[in-house]
């Protein structure tokens, strides 16, 4: 017979709701609620369901049964009731509703105001609370506050960028000085600007960020927003020249063509319909449903105005964009000797590009695209390129131009917004690409997954290691909780002494005759046998890394080129000779002295020294990430984990298996487990004694109350106070395994503190009742005496009146009798 207990069973990687139908000592049989399928599992693998309130539980660390399906069910239940946010301790989980109708009420001003000055947990879960927590902590230097960072993670389309914008809006609002806070407005304007140039439609998100960003929001000593510094990571440049079917190039190109007038387009030489530009038409997708590119262009322009870009800078930017579009239109032809030249039909386009880029001689550009100058011992030789090489050269310049424009734009924002002199502290917000695993994974995925490994390590450190470090410092005995430490994987990728994959790649890039084949062989030879490394048998051009979030096989074709990412010196030199100061600024001198490139004969003298441009992409990224992690490490860290509830980006669908994978990647389950398995609450000895002394016996209390009072001023690690604490605890808590006494603090297992609080409240209640009783008795006694006195006085007066009345009557009667008697006698 069914005992109606609800539980979960796993089937094909997902969790199904089930009920227990029978069980014995070894096995349990369950029946799924939907479809009534029967499963028998070992009794020790039974995962029971929590009895959830209608709205689920706001903080999942409070769930009774704690396992993956329990967390998922809670999230699903909350999602069904339109609750976007749920806590796991201090981690905020945001499940993307894909529906602004649902979430809009969450961001109204009256809601925002409720979070102002409040602690996390006082109001329903919200990213406002996370932002508020960070904001409160920047102005509490004394209690270990200072700089803060909020790390927002999640896969593409999970809602990272929107969450960041919502939190930035919150911070701008709470730190406003008066209504017209120009700085805050400028800081917020970076969002539409960076989105126009760095976001694109992909198969997974119509507004996918194709770069990572860390924005330091600076606050002055009065905690008003003073400025911001934007750091960006790894813009996906390959998108500029090629997009998969159904995807788009960067939004700004479509905005430009939709938003400019016919005249303006003619002046920029871009009069054709969108689909006729090679960069925009090849993927078969030029529009996004519900997005008006012309309107978006106005927003982008407004943003440019807001951050203070001059009219000339705006014009230069649009000219650079038009030249990117036109450059890609250049077609080549080749002769019988396979020597390429710009196709006759593209001669006009060549002139137009040259004019937009401020190049005096269009031939300089066509020569740089179709030939290579090689330096021999005593001469410079010009080698013609074939059609394919020339096309590659053109694409390299196109990507480089766009990439440099994006970097320039970010620098421009920083020039306007950074205010280090006013900044007293910052809240950094990180919006970075989530873990990626595609059917074919390339160099970009390796970098992205490497970044996620580093962030995961930080998360591990914050949640697990710092906890363990405190237990160790306090001398608390506890069983180490197993968690996935990914240091090994990081070493495999970036450790120089171990010849990590990125270092091997750099080495291969430095060799003139290097190749992707040789690189993969070196990686395989060097790391064969590493616990996190695998060699796929079937494809010789691949290797597999076991990341914390799953195994990913990387295909190394193109790794060398992508890592080098150097623009040939001939092309840089042409750009350097531009008449336009703007173009020369985009292509600084050091650029032309690319890795291993020969000195220029007769050309301008190039700078020496190692600029970021001379480093490989991998080396640059390792450095950037190192700096980022050090910054984050020196701040108080807050986490927002975004979950994409389904892959179709539709509202109201919660796909259990897809969400489960993301929860695993985010390390949420382990985070809950550790805070529940260990000692989630702690309190300094003296604070414990003064708060809970009233739970000790009256005799102990009497003997120690003076010492407990004095303990408040004692040093944190005072042996006498600790001994007193031990005595008090022994009396108050009978289950001694539920607490431990550290060097300076008492550590409580889950729920013990709540229990002590209840008992304290009850004890305070008893005292209150006694006080009330005595006070009431006194009042009653006093009233009784007063009533008694009054009664006696009343009785006396009444008696007197009666006696008097009787006396008067007797007296009158006597007088009457005397009178009669006297009358008869006379
Ligand atoms: N709070 C929200 N309420 C309603 N819809 C949302 C919310 N957050 C995100 N969305 C929807 O999800 C889409 C994707 O969100 P977003 O662009 O922030 O994802 P992302 O995590 O930054 O993805 P990527 O890594 O591709 O940049 C948004 O365009 C929006 O339609
Ligand atoms: Mg994004």
């Amino acid at each position: 017979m069914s005992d109606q207990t609800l539980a979960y069973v796993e089937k094909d990687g997902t969790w199904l709701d089930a009920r227990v139908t029978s069980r014995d000592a070894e096995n349990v049989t369950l029946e799924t609620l939907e479809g009534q399928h029967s499963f028998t599992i070992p009794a020790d693998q039974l995962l029971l369901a929590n009895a959830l309130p209608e709205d689920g539980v706001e903080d999942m660390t409070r769930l009774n049964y704690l396992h993956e399906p329990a967390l998922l069910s809670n999230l699903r239940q909350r999602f069904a009731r339109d609750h976007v946010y749920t806590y796991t301790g201090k981690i905020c989980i945001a499940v993307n509703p894909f529906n602004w109708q649902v979430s809009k009420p969450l961001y109204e001003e009256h809601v925002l105001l409720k979070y102002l000055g409040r602690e996390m947990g006082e109001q329903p879960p919200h990213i406002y609370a996370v932002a508020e927590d960070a904001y409160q902590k920047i102005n509490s230097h004394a209690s270990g506050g200072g700089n803060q960072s909020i790390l927002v993670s999640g896969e593409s389309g999970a809602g990272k960028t929107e969450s960041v914008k919502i939190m930035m809006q919150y911070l701008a609002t709470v730190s406003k000085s008066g209504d017209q806070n120009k700085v805050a407005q400028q800081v917020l304007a970076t969002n539409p600007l960076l989105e126009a140039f760095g976001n694109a439609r992909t198969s997974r998100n119509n507004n996918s960020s194709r770069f990572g960003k860390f924005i330091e929001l600076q606050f002055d000593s009065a905690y008003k927003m003073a400025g911001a510094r934007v750091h960006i990571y790894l813009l996906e440049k390959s998108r500029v020249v090629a997009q998969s079917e159904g995807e788009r190039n960067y939004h700004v190109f479509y905005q430009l063509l939709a938003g400019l007038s016919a005249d303006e387009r003619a002046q920029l030489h871009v009069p054709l319909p969108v689909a006729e530009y090679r960069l925009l038409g090849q993927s078969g997708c030029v529009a996004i449903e519900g997005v008006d590119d012309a309107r978006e262009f106005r927003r982008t322009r407004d943003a440019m105005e807001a951050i203070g870009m001059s009219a000339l800078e705006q014009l230069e930017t649009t000219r650079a964009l038009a030249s990117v579009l036109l450059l890609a239109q250049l077609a080549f032809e080749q002769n019988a000797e396979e020597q390429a030249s710009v196709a006759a039909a593209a001669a006009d386009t060549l002139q137009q590009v040259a004019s937009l880029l401020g190049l005096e001689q269009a031939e300089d550009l066509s020569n740089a695209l179709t030939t290579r100058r090689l330096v021999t011992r005593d001469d410079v030789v010009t080698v013609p390129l074939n059609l394919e090489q020339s096309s590659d050269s053109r694409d390299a310049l196109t990507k480089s131009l766009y990439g440099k424009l994006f970097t320039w734009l970010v620098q421009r924002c920083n020039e306007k917004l950074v205010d280090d002199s006013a900044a007293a502290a910052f809240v950094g917000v990180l919006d970075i690409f989530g873990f990626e695993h595609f059917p074919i994974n390339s160099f970009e995925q390796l970098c992205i997954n490497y970044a996620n490994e580093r962030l995961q390590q930080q998360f591990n450190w914050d949640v697990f290691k710092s906890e363990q470090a405190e237990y160790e410092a306090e001398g608390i005995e506890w069983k180490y909780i197993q968690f996935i430490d990914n240091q090994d994987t990081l070493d495999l990728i970036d450790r120089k002494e171990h010849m990590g994959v990125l270092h091997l790649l750099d080495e291969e890039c430095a060799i003139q005759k290097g190749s992707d084949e040789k690189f993969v062989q070196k990686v395989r030879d060097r790391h064969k046998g590493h616990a996190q490394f695998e060699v796929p048998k079937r494809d010789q051009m691949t290797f597999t890394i076991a990341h914390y979030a799953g195994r990913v096989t990387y295909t190394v074709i193109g790794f060398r080129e992508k890592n080098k990412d150097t623009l040939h010196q001939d092309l840089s030199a042409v750009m350097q000779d531009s008449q336009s100061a703007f173009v020369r600024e985009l292509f600084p001198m050091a650029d032309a002295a690319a890795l291993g490139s020969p000195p220029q004969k007769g050309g301008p003298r190039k700078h020496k020294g190692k600029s970021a441009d001379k480093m490989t992409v991998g080396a640059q990224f390792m450095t950037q990430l190192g700096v980022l992690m050090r910054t984050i490490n020196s701040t108080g860290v807050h986490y927002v984990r975004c979950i994409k509830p389904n892959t179709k980006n539709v509202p109201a669908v919660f796909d259990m298996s897809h969400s489960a994978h993301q929860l695993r990647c985010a390390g949420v389950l382990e985070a809950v487990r550790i805070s529940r398995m260990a000692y989630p609450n702690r309190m300094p000895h003296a604070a414990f004694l003064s708060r809970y002394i009233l739970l000790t016996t009256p005799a102990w209390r009497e003997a120690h109350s003076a010492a407990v009072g004095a303990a408040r001023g004692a040093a944190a690690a005072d042996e006498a106070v600790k001994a007193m604490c031990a005595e008090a605890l022994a009396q108050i808590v009978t289950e001694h395994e539920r607490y431990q006494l550290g060097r300076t603090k008492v550590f409580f297992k889950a729920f013990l503190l709540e229990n002590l609080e209840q008992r304290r409240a009850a004890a305070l209640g008893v005292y209150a009742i006694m006080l009330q009783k005595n006070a009431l008795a006194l009042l009653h006694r006093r009233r009784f005496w007063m009533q008694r006195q009054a009664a006696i006085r009343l009785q006396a007066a009444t008696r007197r009146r009666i006696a008097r009345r009787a006396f008067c009557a007797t007296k009158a009667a006597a007088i009457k009798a005397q009178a009669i008697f006297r009358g008869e006698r006379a």
Side-chain angles (χ1 to χ4, degrees), residues 155-162 195 199 205 207-211 213 431-433:
E155 65 175 45
S156 179
K160 300 180 291 294
T161 304
E162 295 301 333
E195 281 185 29
N199 286 26
N205 180 2
N207 183 32
S208 184
S209 320
R210 308 316 299 159
F211 65 105
K213 72 169 186 279
D431 170 7
I432 207 159
F433 14 68

PDB file of all heavy atoms in Angstrom, residues 155-162 195 199 205 207-211 213 431-433, ligand 2:
ATOM      1  N   GLU A 155      24.720  31.023 -17.777  1.00  0.00           N
ATOM      2  CA  GLU A 155      24.983  30.776 -19.188  1.00  0.00           C
ATOM      3  C   GLU A 155      24.359  31.875 -20.059  1.00  0.00           C
ATOM      4  O   GLU A 155      23.655  32.749 -19.554  1.00  0.00           O
ATOM      5  CB  GLU A 155      24.485  29.390 -19.581  1.00  0.00           C
ATOM      6  CG  GLU A 155      22.978  29.233 -19.490  1.00  0.00           C
ATOM      7  CD  GLU A 155      22.546  27.872 -20.005  1.00  0.00           C
ATOM      8  OE1 GLU A 155      23.175  26.865 -19.654  1.00  0.00           O
ATOM      9  OE2 GLU A 155      21.563  27.830 -20.768  1.00  0.00           O
ATOM     10  N   SER A 156      24.611  31.785 -21.353  1.00  0.00           N
ATOM     11  CA  SER A 156      24.110  32.820 -22.249  1.00  0.00           C
ATOM     12  C   SER A 156      22.579  32.869 -22.205  1.00  0.00           C
ATOM     13  O   SER A 156      21.910  31.841 -22.343  1.00  0.00           O
ATOM     14  CB  SER A 156      24.580  32.537 -23.671  1.00  0.00           C
ATOM     15  OG  SER A 156      24.078  33.524 -24.515  1.00  0.00           O
ATOM     16  N   GLY A 157      22.051  34.061 -21.979  1.00  0.00           N
ATOM     17  CA  GLY A 157      20.596  34.220 -21.930  1.00  0.00           C
ATOM     18  C   GLY A 157      20.015  34.022 -20.542  1.00  0.00           C
ATOM     19  O   GLY A 157      18.797  34.085 -20.355  1.00  0.00           O
ATOM     20  N   ALA A 158      20.884  33.800 -19.547  1.00  0.00           N
ATOM     21  CA  ALA A 158      20.373  33.547 -18.200  1.00  0.00           C
ATOM     22  C   ALA A 158      19.917  34.837 -17.510  1.00  0.00           C
ATOM     23  O   ALA A 158      19.187  34.794 -16.526  1.00  0.00           O
ATOM     24  CB  ALA A 158      21.435  32.852 -17.365  1.00  0.00           C
ATOM     25  N   GLY A 159      20.370  35.983 -18.033  1.00  0.00           N
ATOM     26  CA  GLY A 159      19.906  37.251 -17.452  1.00  0.00           C
ATOM     27  C   GLY A 159      20.988  38.037 -16.718  1.00  0.00           C
ATOM     28  O   GLY A 159      20.666  38.911 -15.918  1.00  0.00           O
ATOM     29  N   LYS A 160      22.246  37.770 -17.009  1.00  0.00           N
ATOM     30  CA  LYS A 160      23.348  38.451 -16.307  1.00  0.00           C
ATOM     31  C   LYS A 160      23.326  39.958 -16.576  1.00  0.00           C
ATOM     32  O   LYS A 160      23.351  40.767 -15.657  1.00  0.00           O
ATOM     33  CB  LYS A 160      24.714  37.899 -16.779  1.00  0.00           C
ATOM     34  CG  LYS A 160      24.898  36.428 -16.529  1.00  0.00           C
ATOM     35  CD  LYS A 160      26.259  35.963 -17.006  1.00  0.00           C
ATOM     36  CE  LYS A 160      26.437  35.963 -18.514  1.00  0.00           C
ATOM     37  NZ  LYS A 160      25.603  35.022 -19.245  1.00  0.00           N
ATOM     38  N   THR A 161      23.286  40.310 -17.869  1.00  0.00           N
ATOM     39  CA  THR A 161      23.386  41.727 -18.221  1.00  0.00           C
ATOM     40  C   THR A 161      22.201  42.506 -17.659  1.00  0.00           C
ATOM     41  O   THR A 161      22.365  43.609 -17.142  1.00  0.00           O
ATOM     42  CB  THR A 161      23.471  41.864 -19.759  1.00  0.00           C
ATOM     43  OG1 THR A 161      24.583  41.077 -20.183  1.00  0.00           O
ATOM     44  CG2 THR A 161      23.681  43.283 -20.183  1.00  0.00           C
ATOM     45  N   GLU A 162      21.006  41.921 -17.749  1.00  0.00           N
ATOM     46  CA  GLU A 162      19.830  42.617 -17.207  1.00  0.00           C
ATOM     47  C   GLU A 162      19.982  42.773 -15.699  1.00  0.00           C
ATOM     48  O   GLU A 162      19.674  43.834 -15.140  1.00  0.00           O
ATOM     49  CB  GLU A 162      18.540  41.859 -17.546  1.00  0.00           C
ATOM     50  CG  GLU A 162      18.225  41.790 -19.044  1.00  0.00           C
ATOM     51  CD  GLU A 162      18.079  43.163 -19.712  1.00  0.00           C
ATOM     52  OE1 GLU A 162      17.719  44.139 -19.034  1.00  0.00           O
ATOM     53  OE2 GLU A 162      18.361  43.257 -20.931  1.00  0.00           O
ATOM     54  N   GLU A 195      26.397  47.927 -25.163  1.00  0.00           N
ATOM     55  CA  GLU A 195      25.531  46.891 -25.755  1.00  0.00           C
ATOM     56  C   GLU A 195      25.430  47.058 -27.263  1.00  0.00           C
ATOM     57  O   GLU A 195      25.407  46.086 -28.007  1.00  0.00           O
ATOM     58  CB  GLU A 195      24.134  46.917 -25.127  1.00  0.00           C
ATOM     59  CG  GLU A 195      24.094  46.228 -23.785  1.00  0.00           C
ATOM     60  CD  GLU A 195      22.706  46.129 -23.198  1.00  0.00           C
ATOM     61  OE1 GLU A 195      21.725  46.075 -23.966  1.00  0.00           O
ATOM     62  OE2 GLU A 195      22.601  46.119 -21.966  1.00  0.00           O
ATOM     63  N   ASN A 199      27.146  43.763 -28.192  1.00  0.00           N
ATOM     64  CA  ASN A 199      26.130  42.720 -28.110  1.00  0.00           C
ATOM     65  C   ASN A 199      25.592  42.393 -29.499  1.00  0.00           C
ATOM     66  O   ASN A 199      25.613  43.232 -30.395  1.00  0.00           O
ATOM     67  CB  ASN A 199      24.955  43.155 -27.232  1.00  0.00           C
ATOM     68  CG  ASN A 199      25.304  43.134 -25.755  1.00  0.00           C
ATOM     69  OD1 ASN A 199      26.462  43.271 -25.394  1.00  0.00           O
ATOM     70  ND2 ASN A 199      24.307  42.955 -24.921  1.00  0.00           N
ATOM     71  N   ASN A 205      20.514  34.008 -27.472  1.00  0.00           N
ATOM     72  CA  ASN A 205      20.058  35.239 -26.829  1.00  0.00           C
ATOM     73  C   ASN A 205      20.039  36.354 -27.865  1.00  0.00           C
ATOM     74  O   ASN A 205      21.025  36.580 -28.553  1.00  0.00           O
ATOM     75  CB  ASN A 205      21.039  35.565 -25.683  1.00  0.00           C
ATOM     76  CG  ASN A 205      20.658  36.828 -24.930  1.00  0.00           C
ATOM     77  OD1 ASN A 205      19.638  37.461 -25.220  1.00  0.00           O
ATOM     78  ND2 ASN A 205      21.482  37.191 -23.963  1.00  0.00           N
ATOM     79  N   ASN A 207      20.103  39.370 -27.370  1.00  0.00           N
ATOM     80  CA  ASN A 207      20.962  40.498 -26.979  1.00  0.00           C
ATOM     81  C   ASN A 207      22.164  39.943 -26.207  1.00  0.00           C
ATOM     82  O   ASN A 207      22.382  40.274 -25.052  1.00  0.00           O
ATOM     83  CB  ASN A 207      20.150  41.481 -26.123  1.00  0.00           C
ATOM     84  CG  ASN A 207      20.954  42.700 -25.744  1.00  0.00           C
ATOM     85  OD1 ASN A 207      21.820  43.145 -26.512  1.00  0.00           O
ATOM     86  ND2 ASN A 207      20.712  43.233 -24.561  1.00  0.00           N
ATOM     87  N   SER A 208      22.914  39.111 -26.887  1.00  0.00           N
ATOM     88  CA  SER A 208      23.994  38.416 -26.198  1.00  0.00           C
ATOM     89  C   SER A 208      25.252  39.279 -26.114  1.00  0.00           C
ATOM     90  O   SER A 208      25.703  39.837 -27.119  1.00  0.00           O
ATOM     91  CB  SER A 208      24.305  37.122 -26.953  1.00  0.00           C
ATOM     92  OG  SER A 208      25.285  36.400 -26.258  1.00  0.00           O
ATOM     93  N   SER A 209      25.805  39.388 -24.902  1.00  0.00           N
ATOM     94  CA  SER A 209      27.049  40.158 -24.733  1.00  0.00           C
ATOM     95  C   SER A 209      28.189  39.305 -25.275  1.00  0.00           C
ATOM     96  O   SER A 209      28.382  38.181 -24.839  1.00  0.00           O
ATOM     97  CB  SER A 209      27.320  40.443 -23.258  1.00  0.00           C
ATOM     98  OG  SER A 209      26.139  40.756 -22.590  1.00  0.00           O
ATOM     99  N   ARG A 210      28.922  39.851 -26.215  1.00  0.00           N
ATOM    100  CA  ARG A 210      30.031  39.093 -26.806  1.00  0.00           C
ATOM    101  C   ARG A 210      31.362  39.552 -26.242  1.00  0.00           C
ATOM    102  O   ARG A 210      32.399  39.491 -26.895  1.00  0.00           O
ATOM    103  CB  ARG A 210      30.010  39.212 -28.353  1.00  0.00           C
ATOM    104  CG  ARG A 210      28.693  38.889 -29.018  1.00  0.00           C
ATOM    105  CD  ARG A 210      28.015  37.659 -28.485  1.00  0.00           C
ATOM    106  NE  ARG A 210      28.806  36.436 -28.655  1.00  0.00           N
ATOM    107  CZ  ARG A 210      28.644  35.330 -27.965  1.00  0.00           C
ATOM    108  NH1 ARG A 210      27.740  35.267 -27.011  1.00  0.00           N
ATOM    109  NH2 ARG A 210      29.389  34.284 -28.207  1.00  0.00           N
ATOM    110  N   PHE A 211      31.345  40.014 -25.007  1.00  0.00           N
ATOM    111  CA  PHE A 211      32.563  40.416 -24.304  1.00  0.00           C
ATOM    112  C   PHE A 211      32.241  40.323 -22.816  1.00  0.00           C
ATOM    113  O   PHE A 211      31.078  40.274 -22.423  1.00  0.00           O
ATOM    114  CB  PHE A 211      32.954  41.869 -24.660  1.00  0.00           C
ATOM    115  CG  PHE A 211      31.943  42.897 -24.200  1.00  0.00           C
ATOM    116  CD1 PHE A 211      32.191  43.701 -23.109  1.00  0.00           C
ATOM    117  CD2 PHE A 211      30.719  43.033 -24.864  1.00  0.00           C
ATOM    118  CE1 PHE A 211      31.246  44.628 -22.678  1.00  0.00           C
ATOM    119  CE2 PHE A 211      29.772  43.958 -24.432  1.00  0.00           C
ATOM    120  CZ  PHE A 211      30.039  44.749 -23.340  1.00  0.00           C
ATOM    121  N   LYS A 213      32.646  42.019 -18.953  1.00  0.00           N
ATOM    122  CA  LYS A 213      32.925  43.349 -18.402  1.00  0.00           C
ATOM    123  C   LYS A 213      32.888  43.351 -16.879  1.00  0.00           C
ATOM    124  O   LYS A 213      32.142  42.588 -16.256  1.00  0.00           O
ATOM    125  CB  LYS A 213      31.983  44.410 -18.988  1.00  0.00           C
ATOM    126  CG  LYS A 213      30.556  44.379 -18.527  1.00  0.00           C
ATOM    127  CD  LYS A 213      29.846  45.652 -19.005  1.00  0.00           C
ATOM    128  CE  LYS A 213      28.447  45.759 -18.458  1.00  0.00           C
ATOM    129  NZ  LYS A 213      27.445  44.973 -19.177  1.00  0.00           N
ATOM    130  N   ASP A 431      30.067  41.009 -15.196  1.00  0.00           N
ATOM    131  CA  ASP A 431      29.098  40.364 -16.106  1.00  0.00           C
ATOM    132  C   ASP A 431      29.949  39.641 -17.146  1.00  0.00           C
ATOM    133  O   ASP A 431      30.414  40.254 -18.102  1.00  0.00           O
ATOM    134  CB  ASP A 431      28.223  41.454 -16.741  1.00  0.00           C
ATOM    135  CG  ASP A 431      27.344  40.945 -17.879  1.00  0.00           C
ATOM    136  OD1 ASP A 431      27.293  39.722 -18.110  1.00  0.00           O
ATOM    137  OD2 ASP A 431      26.698  41.786 -18.533  1.00  0.00           O
ATOM    138  N   ILE A 432      30.165  38.381 -16.912  1.00  0.00           N
ATOM    139  CA  ILE A 432      31.106  37.683 -17.783  1.00  0.00           C
ATOM    140  C   ILE A 432      30.485  36.398 -18.307  1.00  0.00           C
ATOM    141  O   ILE A 432      29.651  35.787 -17.649  1.00  0.00           O
ATOM    142  CB  ILE A 432      32.447  37.447 -17.037  1.00  0.00           C
ATOM    143  CG1 ILE A 432      33.607  37.349 -18.017  1.00  0.00           C
ATOM    144  CG2 ILE A 432      32.374  36.280 -16.097  1.00  0.00           C
ATOM    145  CD1 ILE A 432      34.953  37.625 -17.397  1.00  0.00           C
ATOM    146  N   PHE A 433      30.885  36.060 -19.536  1.00  0.00           N
ATOM    147  CA  PHE A 433      30.370  34.860 -20.213  1.00  0.00           C
ATOM    148  C   PHE A 433      30.397  33.625 -19.324  1.00  0.00           C
ATOM    149  O   PHE A 433      31.386  33.341 -18.654  1.00  0.00           O
ATOM    150  CB  PHE A 433      31.187  34.559 -21.468  1.00  0.00           C
ATOM    151  CG  PHE A 433      32.473  35.324 -21.530  1.00  0.00           C
ATOM    152  CD1 PHE A 433      33.504  35.066 -20.645  1.00  0.00           C
ATOM    153  CD2 PHE A 433      32.628  36.357 -22.448  1.00  0.00           C
ATOM    154  CE1 PHE A 433      34.680  35.794 -20.680  1.00  0.00           C
ATOM    155  CE2 PHE A 433      33.804  37.102 -22.481  1.00  0.00           C
ATOM    156  CZ  PHE A 433      34.837  36.809 -21.591  1.00  0.00           C
TER     157      PHE A 433
HETATM  158 MG1  LIG B   2      24.859  39.565 -21.428  1.00  0.00          MG
END
